[in-house]
Amino acid sequence: MSKLFPTQEIGSLKKPADMLKKVKDPNVSDEEKIKARNDAALLNIKTLEDIGLDIVYDGEVRRVEMYEEPVRYVDGFEFAGRVRSWDNKYYNKARVVGPVAFKQNFHAEEFNFVKDNSDRELKVPVTGAYTLADWSYDEHYKSKDELVLALARNVVRPLVKDLVGLGAKIIQIDEPAATTHPTEMDIFRESINESVKGIDAKFVVHACFSGNDYKALAPQMPEIKAEQYTLEFANRDTWNIGLDDDTRKGFQVLKLFKEHGFEGEIGIGVSDVHVNEIESPELIRDRILYAAKALGDPTKVYVNPDCGLRTRTREVSFDKIRSIVKGAELAREEIK
Amino acid sequence: MISSYTFGIYPRSEELIEATRKNTENLDSLFQSETEGYISAQKNANLGFVSDPLLKWDDIFRPFSNLSEVTPTALNRIYEMNTFYRVLSFDGQDLVGGGNIVQSNLDSSLPKNKTAAIPEPFTFAELHTSNKFKRKEDFTINLAKMLRVEIDSLVESGFEAIQLLGPSIAYNKEVDFGIVSDALKIITDGLKAKTILHTYFGDVSKKIESLLNLPVSGLGFDITTTPASSIEKHSFSDKILTVGIINSFNTAIEKPQECIKQIDEINAKTKPKESYVSNNFDLEYVPKKFAMNKISILGEIARGAKDV
């Protein structure tokens, strides 16, 4: 993108309550449910466009959530039941009971709808092989490595290939589990490379922060076939205005990426998705300017929230995105 | 036949999960009936010790948030699991809470042969924070003093075995066994109950000698992370050996005959003072129907293994 500091979302937004009510109501017809989903997707797309995001999608409004949605459509999985994430929050965890295989492009309808309803650049989020394996029980493969690579080759690659065939140009592989097992980074690297093998598109990897400040990821980054990483920084940063290292402590790890020879783009998380407070445009401006300096090249900096915003209310989410767009404008003015 | 028990948090049923999310009117009665169901399942499996399934516990540390001047703060990942616990900040002058924190959170219908699990002090200090005790050693020792009061209360009310949960000892590459030992000494000195230290979430192969020197009655191992071949290199003639043979991280159900053979082989080589089998860590990592099956298999393994 020729514009400096392009702005984008990571993926999920909280679903509109009226849509959820309709799609869960057994008395509502299938046609009405389809319309409710389309209306909600359109609302998200147009809201993000109106706010001024450069790269958009539909807030993953049709998906159950990032793990359960793909698993529903992949051969070899059976749901086991819900397992706790924290407190009273649970996710539906599946068992791998046979060879995993792609059945159909479960994001095709979603992608075609977004493509037909937006002129902006689109970034399609796709759950990655490593995370699918890490969040499942494996009763079939001999090792985690085997399962991860089978998912990369037999599920994620065909899915991505099909999406690119439909016209997708930017694919974001979502890997929140990527850095949770620092000793397994080799297999993570291979899973991404196998997932994208032979496919012509721009690949973005989204990995969540997991306690080791991306130190395990950094050495792998030059070897992974991804042009961009969208990562979390804001939740470890201070809320003070300023460009010094102490003030921007959440972003210092960017220097490590450069030291390890990564020359690609970073989608910097400038907004903490775990709090309701809205970061000011000036704070976002300084985070962007610090990142641009740390990477040594402002054209490598994309701007986004830390992660998907689905745990925030829609009002908070859109306010955060508004502030991101304004912050990016301020940063562009500084660079002129 | 050898003995057996489970430790840690059990999974909630789908019905109970929904009830906790919606805070339904029958929530308390559901908690109670499900707790009693799990206690019955352990009795029916003839487990040597029976434990509370801890269904109301949001994580293994949460009851300690009831201590004065303790504040639950951020969510942190439990080691490399896709599960999170709430970090507690201990800001009071002292940590002693009167000895009823754990006891008041356990079911009163447990049978005489009952066991309870609590975090061991080193792990506790590793995973939480204190504004009062800045040095990790001071924090660990003061947590040990607090836990000792809790354990005394449990033993007084008939708990015959205390499981001490020490995953940080396994997970951390560097462990100061001097601090671990000093803290455990506070807990176990003169205690009239068995104390078994469980290590999991990491391979302790290179730490077994140090573990054998700790002042506890026994050691528990997760054999999915610490290979049995490493355990078998050591003598357990003056220690209880618990083999965490039931894998709480996979829905695959263990094959009893294979497990019995493995336990017999481990015991033949290690010659433990007493032999137990257990889960490797909290059963809540599998859904309820799998946990129930695994409890039954655990009993079958214990009955089939040769006495030591």
Side-chain angles (χ1 to χ4, degrees):
Chain A
M1 190 170 267
S2 56
K3 183 181 186 181
L4 266 187
F5 311 133
T7 53
Q8 57 188 355
E9 229 281 284
I10 291 297
S12 63
L13 292 168
K14 198 175 190 70
K15 295 177 176 72
D18 55 341
M19 182 206 85
L20 281 177
K21 197 176 167 192
K22 276 187 187 163
V23 298
K24 286 179 179 174
D25 187 344
N27 298 317
V28 171
S29 69
D30 286 349
E31 289 76 19
E32 281 181 88
K33 287 179 183 175
I34 289 169
K35 185 175 180 309
R37 289 191 180 97
N38 287 345
D39 288 349
L42 198 57
L43 178 66
N44 282 350
I45 296 163
K46 292 303 163 195
T47 306
L48 295 174
E49 285 182 352
D50 289 348
I51 290 172
L53 275 192
D54 300 300
I55 301 164
V56 302
Y57 207 61
D58 72 346
E60 300 181 18
V61 75
R62 297 167 198 272
R63 305 184 189 185
V64 185
E65 53 83 54
M66 64 168 298
Y67 170 79
E68 186 171 343
E69 182 74 18
V71 164
R72 281 181 175 191
Y73 300 100
V74 175
D75 272 341
F77 282 95
E78 278 180 13
F79 282 104
R82 281 187 282 184
V83 174
R84 180 164 18 212
S85 292
W86 71 87
D87 296 358
N88 295 333
K89 304 285 184 194
Y90 286 76
Y91 74 101
N92 204 0
K93 188 165 176 173
R95 306 151 64 206
V96 179
V97 294
V100 292
F102 176 72
K103 282 193 292 194
Q104 64 188 88
N105 181 346
F106 41 88
H107 296 323
E109 183 190 345
E110 165 196 284
F111 174 72
N112 284 330
F113 185 87
V114 182
K115 189 176 70 170
D116 290 345
N117 287 284
S118 180
D119 295 327
R120 301 280 167 93
E121 280 199 55
L122 309 179
K123 175 163 64 72
V124 191
V126 169
T127 307
Y130 183 84
T131 293
L132 286 173
D134 192 59
W135 290 2
S136 302
Y137 302 111
D138 180 16
E139 297 188 29
H140 178 75
Y141 290 90
K142 285 184 189 137
S143 68
K144 186 172 180 181
D145 297 16
E146 266 192 43
L147 171 59
V148 172
L149 291 178
L151 282 163
R153 290 169 184 147
N154 305 335
V155 177
V156 179
R157 192 194 296 167
L159 171 67
V160 169
K161 196 173 177 184
D162 205 71
L163 284 165
V164 172
L166 291 173
K169 292 185 171 56
I170 309 172
I171 303 284
Q172 175 178 282
I173 300 178
D174 286 332
E175 289 281 15
T179 59
T180 52
H181 308 283
T183 58
E184 295 178 5
M185 293 310 292
D186 286 354
I187 187 64
F188 169 68
R189 181 194 64 228
E190 287 309 304
S191 79
I192 298 290
N193 290 346
E194 284 297 318
S195 297
V196 307
K197 199 171 184 178
I199 304 170
D200 184 19
K202 176 175 180 174
F203 289 103
V204 176
V205 171
H206 171 60
C208 293
F209 173 75
S210 63
N212 65 28
D213 206 7
Y214 298 123
K215 286 186 177 71
L217 178 65
Q220 303 290 343
M221 289 167 72
E223 308 299 324
I224 291 174
K225 290 171 185 158
E227 287 178 50
Q228 185 183 123
Y229 289 82
T230 48
L231 304 173
E232 290 184 37
F233 300 97
N235 64 5
R236 303 183 308 291
D237 198 38
T238 78
W239 284 61
N240 300 327
I241 304 291
L243 294 170
D244 60 282
D245 284 349
D246 286 343
T247 307
R248 295 284 71 85
K249 63 179 185 178
F251 291 80
Q252 286 188 44
V253 72
L254 285 167
K255 293 173 186 169
L256 187 67
F257 301 160
K258 204 179 161 197
E259 282 166 25
H260 280 281
F262 178 68
E263 294 177 342
E265 299 162 355
I266 301 288
I268 56 166
V270 293
S271 185
D272 186 346
V273 300
H274 298 298
V275 299
N276 288 331
E277 289 74 18
I278 311 296
E279 292 81 357
S280 70
E282 290 75 18
L283 172 60
I284 285 166
R285 174 200 62 201
D286 284 0
R287 287 174 172 172
I288 295 169
L289 294 174
Y290 182 89
K293 195 176 170 196
L295 289 174
D297 182 352
T299 66
K300 303 291 187 192
V301 178
Y302 281 58
V303 188
N304 40 259
D306 271 352
C307 197
L309 279 156
R310 75 183 185 119
T311 57
R312 299 299 102 204
T313 64
R314 291 174 64 79
E315 291 73 20
V316 167
S317 298
F318 292 133
D319 282 349
K320 280 181 177 274
I321 295 168
R322 259 181 216 104
S323 203
I324 287 172
V325 170
K326 284 180 192 161
E329 282 168 10
L330 294 178
R332 280 182 214 113
E333 285 169 17
E334 290 286 330
I335 291 280
K336 269 181 194 170
Chain B
M1 178 174 172
I2 59 172
S3 194
S4 54
Y5 59 85
T6 63
F7 63 89
I9 299 175
Y10 275 55
R12 295 171 182 169
S13 68
E14 292 286 328
E15 187 184 5
L16 185 53
I17 290 168
E18 277 306 304
T20 56
R21 288 161 67 94
K22 293 172 182 164
N23 199 19
T24 56
E25 276 182 18
N26 65 342
L27 182 57
D28 280 342
S29 65
L30 264 180
F31 266 122
Q32 189 57 37
S33 63
E34 205 148 294
T35 296
E36 288 167 7
Y38 273 131
I39 290 171
S40 294
Q42 293 175 67
K43 286 182 187 169
N44 294 340
N46 285 318
L47 301 192
F49 291 105
V50 175
S51 63
D52 187 300
L54 311 179
L55 295 174
K56 285 187 178 175
W57 295 35
D58 285 334
D59 60 57
I60 202 73
F61 306 101
R62 195 64 60 85
F64 297 96
S65 65
N66 292 323
L67 285 165
S68 64
E69 295 184 76
V70 173
T71 317
T73 64
L75 286 169
N76 249 16
R77 188 179 291 277
I78 300 179
Y79 305 96
E80 297 182 5
M81 311 299 275
N82 190 29
T83 310
F84 300 80
Y85 70 98
R86 192 72 68 179
V87 177
L88 305 179
S89 180
F90 291 78
D91 304 325
Q93 287 300 307
D94 65 69
L95 305 180
V96 177
N100 202 27
I101 295 293
V102 178
Q103 176 90 334
S104 63
N105 281 285
L106 296 179
D107 193 78
S108 58
S109 71
L110 286 167
K112 196 177 171 214
N113 55 326
K114 56 190 173 183
T115 183
I118 62 166
E120 62 80 30
F122 176 81
T123 295
F124 210 138
E126 280 289 304
L127 301 183
H128 299 277
T129 59
S130 175
N131 288 326
K132 163 72 180 163
F133 303 103
K134 300 284 186 196
R135 290 176 67 236
K136 188 59 70 68
E137 295 89 326
D138 294 340
F139 189 28
T140 307
I141 294 300
N142 277 281
L143 284 168
K145 288 175 184 169
M146 178 273 287
L147 292 169
R148 175 62 194 253
V149 179
E150 295 295 323
I151 290 169
D152 279 340
S153 164
L154 290 170
V155 174
E156 209 169 282
S157 63
F159 282 83
E160 298 172 2
I162 305 297
Q163 316 304 330
L164 299 164
L165 310 184
S168 287
I169 295 173
Y171 187 80
N172 290 18
K173 280 186 183 150
E174 303 295 328
V175 175
D176 185 338
F177 275 97
I179 296 170
V180 174
S181 183
D182 288 348
L184 287 174
K185 197 162 186 296
I186 291 168
I187 282 181
T188 61
D189 203 20
L191 191 74
K192 291 187 171 57
K194 293 172 180 171
T195 48
I196 302 171
L197 174 67
H198 285 270
T199 54
Y200 46 94
F201 294 151
D203 184 352
V204 295
S205 295
K206 292 175 182 167
K207 299 172 184 165
I208 296 178
E209 278 301 327
S210 301
L211 290 167
L212 282 164
N213 288 325
L214 293 174
V216 287
S217 324
L219 299 171
F221 297 94
D222 165 18
I223 57 168
T224 66
T225 47
T226 298
S229 56
S230 298
I231 302 166
E232 287 168 354
K233 289 175 186 162
H234 302 270
S235 167
F236 283 74
S237 57
D238 62 351
K239 279 273 193 285
I240 294 168
L241 170 61
T242 297
V243 178
I245 192 89
I246 295 293
N247 186 0
S248 301
F249 200 55
N250 202 316
T251 43
I253 300 300
E254 288 74 8
K255 295 183 173 111
Q257 289 311 314
E258 285 179 16
C259 294
I260 289 165
K261 188 166 172 268
Q262 189 173 21
I263 296 296
D264 286 344
E265 284 172 5
I266 294 171
N267 283 342
K269 288 176 181 163
T270 57
K271 299 190 172 21
K273 188 177 166 189
E274 288 178 55
S275 168
Y276 291 87
V277 281
S278 72
N279 47 325
N280 55 350
F281 45 80
D282 308 61
L283 280 160
E284 74 160 338
Y285 290 101
V286 290
K288 183 176 180 181
K289 66 179 175 183
F290 298 94
M292 290 293 273
N293 213 343
K294 283 174 182 269
I295 297 166
S296 168
I297 296 290
L298 179 64
E300 196 176 336
I301 295 166
R303 286 194 297 279
K306 287 179 194 154
D307 195 359
V308 294

